[in-house]
Amino acid sequence: MAERIEQRLEDRIPELEQLERVGLFTRKEIRAILRKASALEYKIQRRALRKEDFINYIQYEVNLLELIKKRRARIGYSFKKEEIEYSILHRVHSLFNRATGKWKDDVQLWLSHVAFCKQWNAKHQLSKVFSTMLAIHSNKPALWIMAAKWEMETRLSSESARHLFLRALRFHPECPKLYQEYFRMELMHAEKQRKEKKEFEQAKMDLGEFNYSEEILNGEMARIVYRDASQKIKGVGFQLAVLSIAKLFDFTQDLQKEILESLQTSYADDPLTWDYMARRELELGSLQPTEHSTKQKKVSEMAQREERCCAVFDEAVRAVPTEDMWKCYILFCLERYNRKTNSKELKQKRLERTLSVFSKAHESSLLPEALYKQWLQLLLESNLSEKAVEVAEAATRHFSQSVETWQMRLQVLIQLKSDDVTQCFEEAIKHVKSKGTLPLWTLWVEWSEGTNSKEDTEALYQRSLHATTPAESVTMKEMYLDWTYRNGGYKKVKRLFTSLCENRPFSLDFFWKMIQIEKEQESCKMLHLREYYERALREFGSTNTDLWLDYIKEELSHPKGKPENCGSIHWRAMKMLQGDLVEDFVSKYTLLQTGHL
């Protein structure tokens, strides 16, 4: 092994001598490079190879290349690149080849090699990397697309890109993304040929020796790709994606028309088709010249376009009366309403339209639950309070089991300071199952704290502890403890804590809160702190190291603490903590003893 390493270091000597001779590095720096290279070589020649060692070696060589580049720029020296940089580049490629040969499944390693080749313009080497990588990772469409794009955009070889896409489709015959990118590539190829032909014609050159097929120039290859894909891939999403790609090219009107016809024929009942057709009315209107139009005229034109969109949507909800279709219609209306405009008239028209569509969807019983919240927000913003209350009540009738819907209705009533809040809370608790009611109880007690008497709030807290599930009651206990301290003082909260400790489960924050309350007292008693820590340790002593450490700190720092207890606390912690927590506790305890924690 040593001989091999010595040989590799000797192979470096010509490039290092050149670096010193041309003044890019000093002799001292050359020796430092040799020492570092020797250490890195030994690491990658061991029997038990580690990926990190190869990555570190490659990173060192890349950093060296960057440093050489900067120093060349500083002294203005640009010769001897073949003896210096090319030698290092060859070594980096060799390291990458060894690493990817050893850890073939590491895609990130392959991509790092690809990025390095691109950075240093190593086209021939990159072609080899892609070839090897795709042979191993043929199951990853994204890598095929990356390789094909490089062939098309960097090497300007549409033939190689097409060949890669066709190979990829043999492995992934139903991958939408592959077909989309293949479709795009064929259109790019057609556009490139159109530009070439135009330039030759402008230069009045003879096109006899060049074969420009009219079919290819008009995107016929892309049409074939689209037709083939349509037979294998079903769904509106793919059709719309292909259509959006076709719209990027100005010679694809016939192709766009074909895709659109296919969309309307095969997916007439899909909400996304109607959504696209409706929104298309906006684009069709924007194609008209509006250079000399006044602001008033532009507003009028925009209003007309939106009316045309809504006419299509109205037809859509009659033809496809589903929740998804109404959702598309409402989202379109909300998008237009949220667009900035200086015209109050247009803004008002958008608001009225949006509220009208919400009402129609609700009357059809096809308004999705999630959209009721947006409807209520819009009503409250527009100061339509009575309508908001009416809508919130209707929502809870439709979705009587939904906690979120009841919460939404209650928030509306609280915001409007209604007298029906308590009645609504009672109704909500009656309809919703006990599991999952925590948001309702937290909202209720928070509202009660600011509205009702202390006695009523305390009764509500007591009721919530019995009404929620054991896991949810943990949060209510924390809130109850905090509220009692704020409103009843230390003695009352201590009695409550003792009472609540009789019923599990608890959270760690429940105990921390009580410990913190005790520390805030002028006469903070160590006896009480010990009681709280001991109670907490009974519940969480096997899973929490910080609890033990804080207990030890308290014994050391409190005026009435007993430092002699620390040993027994430490011994108990070692017995009680589980798994790796013992090691974590020992290291933290050592830091505590040395004054670093």
Side-chain angles (χ1 to χ4, degrees):
M1 183 177 83
E3 289 153 7
R4 197 182 316 148
I5 292 168
E6 287 301 318
Q7 182 59 49
R8 288 175 70 85
L9 292 173
E10 281 178 24
D11 292 343
R12 279 176 168 268
I13 289 172
E15 78 195 49
L16 294 174
E17 285 177 346
Q18 288 289 358
L19 283 169
E20 186 185 355
R21 193 180 67 77
V22 300
L24 288 170
F25 286 85
T26 63
R27 177 158 294 204
K28 188 179 177 183
E29 287 172 326
I30 296 295
R31 284 175 183 162
I33 291 169
L34 265 173
R35 280 197 301 275
K36 183 67 176 175
S38 176
L40 292 166
E41 282 289 348
Y42 270 101
K43 285 183 179 179
I44 66 162
Q45 297 297 341
R46 294 184 298 198
R47 283 187 182 179
L49 296 175
R50 291 169 62 240
K51 193 196 302 181
E52 291 73 21
D53 294 331
F54 279 89
I55 292 169
N56 291 337
Y57 198 168
I58 290 165
Q59 191 58 57
Y60 177 74
E61 295 288 10
V62 169
N63 292 343
L64 184 61
L65 280 168
E66 290 293 337
L67 184 59
I68 291 168
K69 188 177 176 182
K70 285 178 182 177
R71 291 199 176 179
R72 278 185 179 280
R74 192 176 68 194
I75 66 172
Y77 185 81
S78 59
F79 305 103
K80 300 287 181 183
K81 285 190 177 182
E82 197 168 325
E83 291 92 331
I84 299 171
E85 277 93 338
Y86 291 0
S87 173
I88 299 172
L89 287 170
H90 177 73
R91 190 160 52 251
V92 173
H93 289 309
S94 175
L95 286 166
F96 266 122
N97 289 338
R98 275 189 68 191
T100 51
K102 174 74 176 170
W103 296 281
K104 293 183 176 70
D105 294 335
D106 190 336
V107 176
Q108 195 54 51
L109 204 56
W110 287 101
L111 293 177
S112 297
H113 196 182
V114 168
F116 177 77
C117 291
K118 285 180 178 179
Q119 185 183 356
W120 292 94
N121 201 28
K123 292 182 181 178
H124 179 68
Q125 186 66 36
L126 182 51
S127 194
K128 286 182 180 178
V129 173
F130 273 131
S131 179
T132 313
M133 179 175 69
L134 292 173
I136 295 164
H137 294 284
S138 57
N139 61 330
K140 295 179 174 63
L143 299 182
W144 288 99
I145 292 168
M146 182 193 291
K149 276 189 171 182
W150 178 74
E151 289 288 352
M152 180 69 191
E153 295 169 8
T154 307
R155 297 194 79 186
L156 305 176
S157 173
S158 51
E159 195 61 44
S160 298
R162 186 180 296 117
H163 179 65
L164 279 168
F165 275 122
L166 289 171
R167 277 180 63 201
L169 288 168
R170 283 204 292 274
F171 288 102
H172 308 279
E174 295 180 359
C175 177
K177 190 66 179 171
L178 267 175
Y179 273 110
Q180 287 168 31
E181 294 304 326
Y182 186 16
F183 180 77
R184 190 198 305 272
M185 187 279 294
E186 290 295 359
L187 289 176
M188 286 170 69
H189 174 61
E191 186 178 50
K192 179 182 154 193
Q193 290 220 326
R194 289 171 74 91
K195 284 179 180 176
E196 281 180 7
K197 186 183 178 187
K198 187 179 178 182
E199 285 171 7
F200 285 141
E201 285 172 349
Q202 284 176 347
K204 296 180 182 177
M205 290 177 67
D206 183 17
L207 296 176
E209 57 189 281
F210 301 103
N211 183 22
Y212 288 108
S213 164
E214 280 300 318
E215 288 184 338
I216 290 175
L217 291 173
N218 292 327
E220 196 59 37
M221 291 293 285
R223 193 189 301 271
I224 292 166
V225 173
Y226 163 70
R227 286 174 180 173
D228 183 42
S230 294
Q231 290 172 3
K232 294 173 184 174
I233 300 166
K234 304 300 176 186
V236 183
F238 176 74
Q239 299 283 337
L240 293 176
V242 171
L243 185 56
S244 66
I245 293 168
K247 285 167 74 177
L248 299 172
F249 301 86
D250 55 11
F251 57 90
T252 60
Q253 282 76 15
D254 290 343
L255 183 55
Q256 287 180 48
K257 190 177 177 183
E258 183 180 327
I259 298 169
L260 209 53
E261 284 172 1
S262 171
L263 195 64
Q264 290 175 293
T265 307
S266 307
Y267 303 98
D269 293 337
D270 196 298
L272 290 175
T273 303
W274 284 99
D275 186 53
Y276 176 79
M277 296 307 295
R279 289 170 184 270
R280 190 163 167 262
E281 293 296 325
L282 281 177
E283 295 172 18
L284 292 174
S286 64
L287 297 174
Q288 304 299 322
T290 55
E291 289 175 19
H292 305 293
S293 301
T294 61
K295 284 185 181 179
Q296 189 60 39
K297 194 174 179 184
K298 283 180 181 177
V299 167
S300 173
E301 284 174 5
M302 179 56 73
Q304 285 172 14
R305 279 187 234 157
E306 289 178 5
E307 288 296 336
R308 289 201 299 272
C309 291
C310 291
V312 176
F313 272 121
D314 286 333
E315 188 185 341
V317 291
R318 284 194 297 272
V320 189
T322 62
E323 271 195 14
D324 287 339
M325 191 66 255
W326 278 106
K327 185 179 179 181
C328 289
Y329 193 177
I330 289 165
L331 290 178
F332 168 77
C333 292
L334 286 170
E335 280 173 28
R336 300 313 299 175
Y337 173 70
N338 291 324
R339 281 181 72 89
K340 287 185 179 178
T341 177
N342 293 325
S343 169
K344 289 182 181 178
E345 185 186 340
L346 183 59
K347 188 77 173 173
Q348 185 61 29
K349 193 175 282 187
R350 286 172 175 173
L351 174 62
E352 288 170 7
R353 182 192 302 127
T354 307
L355 292 174
S356 169
V357 173
F358 267 121
S359 292
K360 286 175 185 175
H362 169 66
E363 285 162 14
S364 307
S365 299
L366 292 170
L367 182 62
E369 183 185 353
L371 290 176
Y372 272 100
K373 189 173 183 180
Q374 287 177 281
W375 188 10
L376 288 169
Q377 284 174 347
L378 202 58
L379 289 167
L380 292 171
E381 283 171 16
S382 309
N383 296 318
L384 299 169
S385 306
E386 287 182 19
K387 181 67 176 173
V389 172
E390 187 186 316
V391 167
E393 188 179 345
T396 52
R397 278 201 303 274
H398 277 294
F399 307 99
S400 61
Q401 298 290 313
S402 170
V403 174
E404 291 78 15
T405 305
W406 281 105
Q407 202 175 352
M408 184 175 68
R409 180 182 172 186
L410 288 161
Q411 283 166 343
V412 169
L413 293 175
I414 290 168
Q415 188 175 334
L416 298 173
K417 297 181 179 176
S418 170
D419 296 331
D420 302 329
V421 176
T422 304
Q423 184 187 335
C424 187
F425 270 119
E426 295 288 0
E427 199 180 336
I429 296 300
K430 188 170 71 178
H431 279 89
V432 180
K433 293 174 184 176
S434 62
K435 190 178 180 182
T437 56
L438 182 62
L440 296 178
W441 283 107
T442 53
L443 183 63
W444 197 352
V445 294
E446 282 169 2
W447 169 77
S448 181
E449 284 178 19
T451 311
N452 295 342
S453 65
K454 291 180 184 179
E455 290 76 16
D456 289 344
T457 303
E458 185 159 15
L460 196 58
Y461 269 116
Q462 289 285 354
R463 185 180 162 192
S464 73
L465 294 175
H466 297 101
T468 52
T469 61
E472 290 176 338
S473 70
V474 166
T475 305
M476 297 312 300
K477 285 174 186 174
E478 289 175 31
M479 292 179 70
Y480 192 6
L481 202 69
D482 187 52
W483 176 81
T484 304
Y485 179 56
R486 282 187 281 112
N487 292 276
Y490 172 71
K491 287 184 179 178
K492 189 169 182 181
V493 80
K494 192 173 185 311
R495 285 197 301 273
L496 176 67
F497 175 78
T498 307
S499 168
L500 292 175
C501 281
E502 291 173 10
N503 296 302
R504 287 186 173 87
F506 311 107
S507 68
L508 187 56
D509 284 340
F510 174 72
F511 293 106
W512 282 130
K513 202 176 284 288
M514 196 60 215
I515 290 167
Q516 195 57 44
I517 288 169
E518 184 65 46
K519 286 182 179 180
E520 286 174 11
Q521 306 313 305
E522 285 183 20
S523 57
C524 172
K525 293 182 180 178
M526 189 63 207
L527 191 68
H528 292 163
L529 285 174
R530 280 197 196 100
E531 179 198 340
Y532 306 145
Y533 273 113
E534 289 295 340
R535 284 182 184 274
L537 288 169
R538 279 201 291 274
E539 303 295 328
F540 303 100
S542 60
T543 57
N544 193 290
T545 54
D546 291 337
L547 201 55
W548 291 100
L549 289 162
D550 278 7
Y551 192 6
I552 291 169
K553 281 185 202 173
E554 210 65 60
E555 290 286 11
L556 291 170
S557 61
H558 195 280
K560 296 290 178 70
K562 293 181 179 178
E564 62 268 24
N565 287 354
C566 294
S568 64
I569 296 170
H570 179 274
W571 181 82
R572 284 168 59 203
M574 297 292 285
K575 290 282 183 185
M576 204 166 173
L577 287 165
Q578 298 172 352
D580 295 338
L581 292 173
V582 175
E583 193 179 329
D584 183 40
F585 173 73
V586 169
S587 60
K588 286 181 178 178
Y589 185 68
T590 306
L591 289 170
L592 180 64
Q593 286 181 311
T594 54
H596 292 95
L597 189 67

